[in-house]
Amino acid sequence: MTRLSLATLLLASTVAGCAGGPPVTAGSTPRLAAYFDCVRETGGIAISAHRAQSGEDQPENSIQAIEATGRAIPGAIVEIDAALTRDGVLVLMHDDSLDRTTTGRGLVADNTLAQIQAADLRAPDGTVSDAAPPTLAEALAAAGRVGAIASLDLKPSSEAATVALARRVVDEVRRARAADRVILITYSAEAARAVAAMAPEMMISAGLDDVAGLDGLNAPQILAWTGTREARPALWRALGDRGVEVQFGTLGGSPRALDRVYAADGDVSEYRALFEQGAVVIATDTPLAVKGVLGVELVAAQRCPR
């Protein structure tokens, strides 16, 4: 996808995308930016729960997980995945299909909302709940009830598909009047620029390997995703000097995922080293373990207004 075609898609979204809420101005700074600045400046930490889960008994991308995590972790970020049904409704689902996480079958895109909500969610421990996959609107409402920030993953099947999905998600967030408590996750520089311009009132997660990656972006709007493999304190300091907060992921299904590496010897104090080297957001499959190590820093973050 070229920059020109992305710009064309963006123009269309700008014309049509504000119906769900008040108009916004390009170049404005999201209200949530001041919160993350405060967390960094006061020595706080934010914890992002992968797929919203904080326990094996919670189905991923579920209202149960969102509410349990939000209650357990003050100021939690709940990372959730948006997908479109056949009849054009945004629901939460990580995979393309229903098979792994629900009692349903088939591709999300091939099922209507009614068909998807006839399925029950399945937790990692094998428990089948009596709850169906929620809509994005329901998930945003649940996050609001527990004071959580919703980090909305825009899966990168292609640049055009990411931007098209972002347009629908942005409209839904505006209808819910939830712009002050969401982050939009992108995976490429092109998508980050397009989505940031589409939704200047919302925070954007953008993968960055250097400060040059900020070119064309409004730095206060950006949370820098810096990977999952190793700490990069020099980069983290450079981004902090530009007023950009750093995210680092310890999550993942690989045996080399740092959540698993840290837990192997029963001592997970390594999370503190990440904080001390400059990570402001730790994205994890084990948010309660991070809370156990960085509880004082979570309390510090609670002093930051949202």
Side-chain angles (χ1 to χ4, degrees), residues 3 14-15 20 33 67 72 108 112 158 163 171 179 192 201 264 267 288 298:
R3 187 172 302 182
T14 302
V15 171
E67 293 186 338
V108 177
T112 65
S158 71
V163 173
D171 284 348
E201 80 278 31
D267 176 8
L288 296 181
L298 272 177

Side-chain angles (χ1 to χ4, degrees), residues 1-95:
M1 175 59 60
T2 66
R3 187 172 302 182
L4 178 61
S5 55
L6 273 176
T8 301
L9 283 165
L10 179 56
L11 177 61
S13 72
T14 302
V15 171
C18 293
V24 294
T25 303
S28 61
T29 298
R31 288 182 58 188
L32 194 55
Y35 168 75
F36 284 108
D37 287 346
C38 177
V39 172
R40 172 170 53 85
E41 292 163 1
T42 60
I45 195 75
I47 299 173
S48 178
H50 191 210
R51 304 179 196 172
Q53 292 169 301
S54 54
E56 289 292 301
D57 61 333
Q58 302 161 9
E60 66 182 56
N61 281 303
S62 67
I63 300 299
Q64 177 189 351
I66 291 168
E67 293 186 338
T69 299
R71 286 191 295 265
I73 301 172
I77 299 171
V78 289
E79 183 268 345
I80 53 181
D81 303 277
L84 274 170
T85 67
R86 192 178 78 194
D87 48 348
V89 180
L90 286 162
V91 296
L92 299 197
M93 189 66 56
H94 176 273
D95 300 354

